[in-house]
Amino acid sequence: MKSRNLVTDAQSMPRGVQPDVPEARDKSGPSPTEIRQRAFEIHIERGGIHGCDLDDWMQAERELLEKHTKSNDGGSKKK
């Protein structure tokens, strides 16, 4: 029996049909799953208006990158 690679199988599926597959976690920033969840929260906060998905994603990514950066440097900024 051939073993399946779920990540490769998911990547070959059409967009919007991909199952949730565990992702490799990069310690330098938020995972795509975290960004996706925050972007959806932003979408809901705006009243669920469609057509701003890229803006929502970019805002979520900025917020989470800032949060990860602050948590990695202990919240202190060097001057």
Side-chain angles (χ1 to χ4, degrees):
M1 183 167 131
K2 183 180 174 185
S3 66
R4 297 183 66 190
N5 182 334
L6 295 178
V7 173
T8 303
D9 291 349
Q11 290 172 345
S12 65
M13 294 178 133
R15 187 180 178 132
V17 182
Q18 297 176 357
D20 286 337
V21 176
E23 302 172 351
R25 180 79 192 260
D26 183 2
K27 299 293 183 195
S28 65
S31 71
T33 300
E34 291 172 307
I35 297 169
R36 184 181 318 115
Q37 290 171 342
R38 179 60 188 134
F40 182 71
E41 292 170 0
I42 293 167
H43 168 74
I44 296 302
E45 290 168 4
R46 272 191 308 93
I49 300 168
H50 295 282
C52 300
D53 52 336
L54 181 58
D55 294 333
D56 295 343
W57 183 276
M58 298 301 289
Q59 180 181 340
E61 193 171 41
R62 276 191 308 270
E63 289 177 7
L64 293 171
L65 281 171
E66 183 177 306
K67 179 181 169 184
H68 278 262
T69 301
K70 285 181 181 178
S71 67
N72 287 340
D73 71 4
S76 64
K77 291 188 176 184
K78 295 180 182 178
K79 293 182 181 180

